[in-house]
Amino acid sequence: MARRARSAVGGVAHLVVLQAQAGRTVLHDDVDQAAFMHALQESMSDVAVHGYGLAPDQVRLLLRPATAQALSRAMQALGRRFVAALHRRHGGTGSPWAGRFRAALIEPGEWTLWALRHVERAGAPDGGFSSAAHRLGALPSLAGRPTDPPELWSLGNTPFEREIAWRRLLEEPLPGPVLQRLEAGCRSGAAVGSQLRTASWIASR
């Protein structure tokens, strides 16, 4: 059976998930995390990285490709670079991920902020890390600097105000229905947002 084509839209945020094969750890320690971040920074040509969250068995990303084709190209390049580095260090063959990356289009506005919270909450407290470190004032040396989505600027008039507001949001769990919609969107490749607005903003692209 042919694989379902993955939807992508230029200029729109996408929630992207890489899931490890069942029972497998991919990012064992900070060396593997650094290798992933280096591959990410080298691969995201024509793609803005709004956020990343690394856990031992999963990676979440919030990406905004410049064109519809840029997302797949960037993720293919990321896969080649990181998997090669992983095999050089640990040995083995093949991909450690459970199939292709999963992605969902994210509606601009509050849904983009919800998706970013979902991404930046990944990794804690089980040994991972996320781009929240930059936005909350801590700058781990192996992490790349994310590009703020426009929605973050609505949280305050100064960097300090936005940092405080974002810290409070990250401390709050996502509403259950929101989390379910985000996860279901990634599984199906569907757009995620308000039902009435989602169709209109996709049609306008």
Side-chain angles (χ1 to χ4, degrees), residues 67-91:
T67 66
Q69 297 76 27
L71 181 63
S72 288
R73 287 199 302 263
M75 292 304 296
Q76 289 169 7
L78 171 61
R80 288 194 300 269
R81 288 185 170 96
F82 174 66
V83 172
L86 196 70
H87 289 335
R88 283 195 298 271
R89 184 178 186 218
H90 298 288

Side-chain angles (χ1 to χ4, degrees), residues 11-22:
V12 174
H14 294 64
L15 174 61
V16 175
V17 175
L18 286 165
Q19 182 66 49
Q21 295 181 23

Side-chain angles (χ1 to χ4, degrees), residues 140-179:
S141 60
L142 60 84
R145 182 176 298 279
T147 300
D148 287 342
E151 288 81 359
L152 270 179
W153 290 80
S154 67
L155 299 182
N157 294 322
T158 68
F160 179 74
E161 290 177 352
R162 292 190 290 273
E163 179 182 320
I164 294 298
W166 191 240
R167 184 185 298 275
R168 290 173 177 167
L169 287 173
L170 286 179
E171 290 172 349
E172 299 175 3
L174 286 173
V178 170
L179 180 59

Side-chain angles (χ1 to χ4, degrees), residues 6 18 23 25 40-41 62 75-76 80 82 84 91 111 115 120 131 133 136 140 147 157 161 163 186 191 198:
R6 184 186 290 107
L18 286 165
T25 294
L40 183 70
Q41 294 164 19
L62 188 65
M75 292 304 296
Q76 289 169 7
R80 288 194 300 269
F82 174 66
W111 279 96
E120 294 198 339
S131 50
L136 301 182
T147 300
N157 294 322
E161 290 177 352
E163 179 182 320
C186 280
T198 298

